[in-house]
Amino acid sequence: MPYGSNLELMLAQEEEVCLSGPAGTGKSRACLEKLDFIANQYPGSRQLIVRKTRTSLNESGLVTYEEKVLPANSLINEGADRPNRQKYDYPNGSVIVIGGMDKATRIMSTEYDVIYVQEAIELTEEDWENLTTRLRNNIVPYQQIISDTNPGVPTHWLKKRCNEGRCRMIYASHKDNPVLYNPDLKEYTDKGKIYISRLGNLTGARRERLKDGKWVGSEGLVFSNYDERIHLIDRFDIPADWRRVRGIDFGFTNPFVCQWWAIDPDGRMYLYREIYKTKRVVNEHAKHINKLSEGERIEITICDHDAEDRAQLEKAGIRTKPAYKAVSLGIQNIQERLKVQPDGKPRIFILRDSLVELDRELEESKKPTCTAEEMTSYSWPKSADGKNDKEEPIKEYDHGCDDMRYVAAHLDKIGQVSQQTKGGAQVTL
C-alpha cells in the first residue's frame, strides 16, 4: 500500500514527474510499482526502465523490481539473467524494456507509454528531453516520464526544471515508507530508528541531502571545480598503446582502494577501473588485482606506505612504489588537472561504471562507494568563525581522492627530488 508522496506518484498523470527525497523513502519501489500496475492494467503497453548506464541498473532498480515488485516465482522473471536481460514480457502483451543512456540507440528507436528514470540527477537535460520524444505509444490514456532522485545542488537542471513548472516535483519523506514508519501508530519502527540514526552519522551536504532531503550545495568542497558533466564520462575502448598505472590506498575498516588509470598521449588521466571495498584482507585483494589486470601492461603501482601491506602485494608479484603523500601539494595538483584547458578539456576524467564490485555495507550506510561519489563529499573543515579552514581537509570520504592524488603526483613528478642542485642543495620539484 503506497503512502504519502509514493501515493501521489502513483496517481500523478502530468507528463513529467520527479519524486525527490532522502535515502530510504521507497522512491524507486513506488516508481516500479507504478510501471507494473500500468503494464497489467493496459494490455500491449510499453514501459521503459532507464538509468545513465545500463550496468548500474543490475544491482539497483532491477533487484527491487524482481525481488520486491514481482510476485515470487513470476513467469515474467524467467529468461535471461539480470545483466543480459533486455526486457520483461507480460502475459497480456505489455512489455517493460531495460536500457541505459550510455547505449541510447537501443532504446531510442521505439515508443513508450511511461518511462521511469532511476536517479534522474545523473542524466543531462538533453538525455531527459530526448527521452520525452519517445512518449507516443498511446496505449495508456496519458504518456508520462517519471523519475526518482536523491537531492543534489540547487542549481541542477532538474531542480530548475521543476522550479519553472515544466516538471512536477513530489517531495518524499521517511514517513512515506511503512518499513521505517508506522502510519497507524504514527511512530518510527525499530528498523526506522536504526536507519535514521545511521543517516544522522553522515556529515556536511551528504547529511542534508540523504537524511533531510534538501537540495543544497556542497560548501567547502576540496575539489570545488569538479563537475560531473565534464569529468564523469561514458566508457570507451582505451587504446592499447596508452600508458597504464595503478594506485592503491590501504584499508580494511575503511575502504581499500585500487585504481587503474590510463594516460593518453597528451598526459590526461582516465580512471577506468576501481576496487573500493571494506572488510577484505590485502592478499585477497592482490589476487583480484592480478586477475583484473590480465593482458594489460601496468607500468607501476603507486602505493600507500604500510610496509606489511606492501610486502603482501610484492609477494603476489605486484611491484610497488611508495606514494608522495604531502596533502597540500597533491590537492593543488589535482585542482590544476580538473581545470578545463584551452583545448576545452580537463586533464583528468573518471569513466562511469569503473567500480568492479559494489560494497553493500557502504551503500547501506549511505557513504561513498567509489571515487566519483567522494568528489562531491570531500570537504574542508569549518574554522571557529564559520569559514572554510583550508589547512587540512576532513579525514572522511577521502580514500579514493588520496589514491588519485598519489597517482597524479607520480605522473606529474610532484615531490620528486631533482638530480640537479642549486648552490649545493637538492631542489624538490
Side-chain angles (χ1 to χ4, degrees):
M1 178 67 69
Y3 292 94
S5 61
N6 294 330
L7 179 59
E8 284 188 61
L9 183 280
M10 294 289 287
L11 298 176
Q13 295 189 12
E14 293 88 348
E15 184 173 339
E16 299 184 17
V17 181
C18 176
L19 186 54
S20 167
T25 57
K27 300 184 294 294
S28 296
R29 173 78 179 268
C31 292
L32 291 165
E33 291 281 2
K34 180 164 187 170
L35 256 61
D36 178 66
F37 174 82
I38 290 172
N40 282 300
Q41 188 78 4
Y42 298 99
S45 62
R46 292 181 62 82
Q47 278 65 245
L48 170 66
I49 302 172
V50 65
R51 196 166 172 175
K52 184 62 177 181
T53 64
R54 169 62 182 83
T55 56
S56 59
L57 283 172
N58 292 337
E59 299 301 323
S60 55
L62 301 189
V63 174
T64 302
Y65 174 74
E66 293 180 4
E67 297 183 1
K68 302 293 186 181
V69 177
L70 291 179
N73 303 315
S74 172
L75 297 177
I76 296 171
N77 199 26
E78 290 188 345
D81 59 5
R82 205 176 294 145
N84 297 307
R85 185 181 286 278
Q86 302 298 317
K87 61 180 180 175
Y88 297 95
D89 291 304
Y90 281 67
N92 65 359
S94 293
V95 62
I96 296 181
V97 179
I98 309 162
M101 294 308 294
D102 55 335
K103 298 177 181 178
T105 54
R106 297 184 181 180
I107 58 175
M108 296 296 289
S109 59
T110 189
E111 299 168 349
Y112 306 97
D113 292 286
V114 179
I115 296 172
Y116 161 46
V117 182
Q118 186 175 45
E119 286 300 333
I121 201 170
E122 298 173 347
L123 269 61
T124 65
E125 191 164 20
E126 182 180 5
D127 290 335
W128 179 272
E129 292 183 343
N130 285 340
L131 286 170
T132 64
T133 67
R134 301 292 92 198
L135 291 170
R136 56 188 189 194
N137 198 49
N138 296 315
I139 297 297
V140 178
Y142 56 93
Q143 308 290 278
Q144 185 179 59
I145 181 169
I146 62 176
S147 64
D148 65 38
T149 190
N150 294 320
V153 295
T155 55
H156 192 275
W157 67 263
L158 181 59
K159 185 66 166 64
K160 288 183 176 181
R161 194 176 185 92
C162 293
N163 291 346
E164 294 165 2
R166 292 187 287 162
C167 176
R168 176 186 175 187
M169 182 168 285
I170 300 173
Y171 290 93
S173 163
H174 289 114
K175 293 182 179 181
D176 301 332
N177 185 346
V179 174
L180 303 181
Y181 185 83
N182 187 316
D184 297 322
L185 298 177
K186 299 189 183 319
E187 63 180 27
Y188 283 99
T189 64
D190 290 341
K191 287 184 178 179
K193 292 173 184 175
I194 293 171
Y195 189 74
I196 298 299
S197 175
R198 185 183 301 150
L199 293 179
N201 292 329
L202 300 175
T203 59
R206 289 187 71 82
R207 188 181 192 279
E208 292 190 77
R209 293 171 184 171
L210 299 180
K211 179 180 181 293
D212 304 327
K214 297 179 181 178
W215 288 77
V216 294
S218 295
E219 293 185 10
L221 280 182
V222 173
F223 301 123
S224 57
N225 57 342
Y226 173 77
D227 188 335
E228 290 181 341
R229 297 169 297 178
I230 298 171
H231 301 100
L232 188 62
I233 63 174
D234 292 338
R235 184 160 295 279
F236 64 94
D237 292 330
I238 296 173
D241 60 345
W242 284 14
R243 298 170 59 198
R244 297 179 189 236
V245 176
R246 286 186 303 231
I248 290 178
D249 187 67
F250 294 117
F252 183 80
T253 302
N254 290 319
F256 172 101
V257 181
C258 180
Q259 299 171 344
W260 283 255
W261 293 89
I263 320 301
D264 74 9
D266 292 322
R268 298 187 189 91
M269 298 169 58
Y270 298 80
L271 176 61
Y272 67 93
R273 185 184 298 134
E274 179 175 32
I275 294 172
Y276 194 104
K277 191 80 175 70
T278 60
K279 310 298 174 58
R280 186 174 289 166
V281 296
V282 173
N283 62 344
E284 291 181 11
H285 281 303
K287 294 175 185 177
H288 197 194
I289 291 167
N290 282 331
K291 184 175 181 180
L292 290 169
S293 302
E294 287 178 357
E296 298 179 342
R297 189 179 66 82
I298 307 295
E299 280 186 18
I300 190 68
T301 300
I302 310 302
C303 203
D304 204 351
H305 289 185
D306 188 284
E308 185 176 344
D309 288 341
R310 284 186 64 206
Q312 291 277 356
L313 295 177
E314 297 277 356
K315 186 177 180 180
I318 298 173
R319 185 170 60 92
T320 67
K321 175 183 176 181
Y324 175 72
K325 298 189 66 172
V327 176
S328 181
L329 281 177
I331 286 175
Q332 292 173 42
N333 187 42
I334 295 295
Q335 290 170 336
E336 284 298 315
R337 276 191 167 270
L338 288 169
K339 290 180 180 178
V340 176
Q341 303 301 309
D343 63 2
K345 299 179 182 179
R347 297 183 62 241
I348 194 164
F349 295 95
I350 298 175
L351 273 60
R352 289 190 177 87
D353 290 331
S354 293
L355 188 67
V356 299
E357 179 185 1
L358 180 65
D359 189 308
R360 292 288 187 186
E361 187 171 321
L362 291 173
E363 184 187 40
E364 277 293 311
S365 300
K366 299 304 173 186
K367 295 179 180 179
T369 61
C370 61
T371 299
E373 293 181 5
E374 283 190 4
M375 296 294 283
T376 56
S377 303
Y378 186 33
S379 304
W380 302 107
K382 295 282 188 182
S383 59
D385 59 3
K387 296 180 180 180
N388 295 322
D389 182 352
K390 295 189 177 183
E391 289 298 318
E392 190 81 18
I394 300 171
K395 283 298 296 176
E396 190 173 36
Y397 315 142
D398 61 348
H399 316 290
C401 289
D402 283 352
D403 204 2
M404 174 175 59
R405 177 164 54 82
Y406 302 160
V407 174
H410 166 77
L411 294 172
D412 297 331
K413 300 182 177 3
I414 303 298
Q416 294 186 20
V417 177
S418 172
Q419 296 302 310
Q420 298 178 345
T421 61
K422 184 176 181 180
Q426 289 183 323
V427 178
T428 300
L429 302 176

